[in-house]
Amino acid sequence: MTGPTHPSVDEVLDGAVVVSLPMRTRFRGQDARELMLLRGPRGWAEFAPFPEYGPQESAQWLAAAIEAGWRGLGEPLRHSVPVNATMPAVDAAGVDQVLSRYQDAEAIPAVKIKVAEPGQNLQQDLDRVAAVARALPDAGLRVDANGAWSIPEAVEALEQIAAIAGARFEYAEQPVAGVEPLAQLREELVRAGVPVRIAADEAVRKAQDPLRVAQLGAADLIVVKVPPLGGVQRALQIVQRAGLDAVVSSALDSSVGLTAGLALASRLPELPFACGLGTVPLLAADVLSSPLVPVSGALTVPVGDDGAVVAPEPDPQLIAQNRAGAERQAWWEQRLRQAYHELP
Ligand SMILES: O=C(O)CCC(=O)C1=CC=C[C@@H](O)[C@@H]1C(=O)O
Ligand SMILES: [Mg+2]
């Protein structure tokens, strides 16, 4: 059942436009990020569930977009948010090139390094971590395995990564899949004398109950992404109820979608770690003439005249340049209609 507070689906789709933004480096198996921009009375919003997501999972993303465009993103507690750089699973030799896309790379507070990529091995991960550690000797280091390791593989890999990263190792994000396996891994790491903090990502954003991680003590911190959690308001509640440190991260959004992540980060009382919102440099094109690219390791929170966080107006020329074909537009419209029926 759709609640009475949602705009009609035709209103949501009025002025919706699909763009395909090329990626600089393949990330999450994608070479381009296709997404739908929506225009609501409170500003622009983004509907961008990954292509394989069904209507139910996509409905959370739609709820988040409706919040941004029709209800607003709320007022910030801070105007600048520290962000990490994100390192795709490139060869060690490609690390410098990725970092060169960040302005003042030496000011980057932390780098999140993708590991356990399908088709690669542990040595490639270790070489990549070592290359980042060498390139930025003061930055914090974290890895993200997207749940691809088994528990024994995770123990071995994290022990070796910890040996390279030393005190700069901030945490390992979703080293194994699921909630219980994360809890078990934490125990095994203690037993093995490898004191690495564990962050839950998929175990929060893809779970029926995002609070189970906290209830089971399965992680030291949670990664929170606005679209899969159904909006800023709901994400704020989840962080508060979980009672764990939170790292706000991007869902590989354009600068419009990223604004909602910045709203969440700007409204959390505490940000103990840099946020994973530095992903615009992974895109070769964006829809804003001044994209939300971090400067000196931080992003400025965009606010409107009323003091609420709001995405800056997209550039019509950039939209036209990156606009997807009529068939893709129709596919996304159909997808949004299906998600609309599943709205919480
Ligand atoms: O956390 C970051 O530094 C950037 C965001 C990021 O890594 C991700 C964004 C979107 C999809 C995911 O595969 C990926 C992640 O797993 O965290
Ligand atoms: Mg992750």
Side-chain angles (χ1 to χ4, degrees), residues 258-279:
L258 198 74
T259 302
L262 270 175
L264 172 59
S266 75
R267 291 176 60 185
L268 280 172
E270 280 168 60
L271 288 181
F273 295 93
C275 291
L277 296 170
T279 50

Side-chain angles (χ1 to χ4, degrees), residues 60 67 207-210 228-239 344:
Q60 296 293 344
E67 178 190 67
Q208 288 283 8
D209 178 2
L229 294 178
V232 173
Q233 206 59 47
R234 185 159 178 268
L236 281 170
Q237 280 169 9
I238 289 168
V239 174

Side-chain angles (χ1 to χ4, degrees), residues 227-253:
L229 294 178
V232 173
Q233 206 59 47
R234 185 159 178 268
L236 281 170
Q237 280 169 9
I238 289 168
V239 174
Q240 195 197 2
R241 292 199 194 136
L244 294 175
D245 286 346
V247 182
V248 181
S249 294
S250 130
L252 213 53
D253 329 279

Side-chain angles (χ1 to χ4, degrees), residues 54-210:
Q56 236 183 342
E57 195 166 4
S58 302
Q60 296 293 344
W61 295 62
L62 182 55
I66 290 175
E67 178 190 67
W70 278 261
R71 294 195 252 286
L73 294 169
E75 291 189 13
L77 299 174
R78 62 179 70 75
H79 290 274
S80 175
V81 170
V83 299
N84 63 269
T86 303
M87 182 60 61
V90 294
D91 287 345
V95 159
D96 285 344
Q97 202 204 346
V98 174
L99 293 176
S100 72
R101 295 176 199 140
Y102 290 83
Q103 292 177 37
D104 312 317
E106 58 296 335
I108 292 172
V111 184
K112 183 176 96 167
I113 305 158
K114 285 284 184 182
V115 292
E117 179 87 352
Q120 296 190 4
N121 58 40
L122 177 58
Q123 193 55 51
Q124 288 169 287
D125 291 338
L126 299 176
D127 291 347
R128 186 178 317 112
V129 172
V132 174
R134 266 196 310 275
L136 295 179
D138 298 322
L141 302 168
R142 40 180 102 153
V143 295
D144 185 356
N146 289 108
W149 283 321
S150 65
I151 291 176
E153 282 169 345
V155 173
E156 189 200 339
L158 293 178
E159 188 166 13
Q160 298 200 44
I161 291 169
I164 296 168
R168 292 199 277 151
F169 197 5
E170 294 185 330
Y171 58 81
E173 181 172 325
Q174 203 70 49
V176 297
V179 181
E180 283 83 357
L182 277 185
Q184 205 187 324
L185 172 63
R186 284 186 81 205
E187 289 170 16
E188 302 266 340
L189 287 172
V190 171
R191 221 168 293 148
V194 183
V196 176
R197 283 194 208 94
I198 300 296
D201 175 13
E202 285 85 345
V204 174
R205 71 177 144 101
K206 285 183 159 289
Q208 288 283 8
D209 178 2

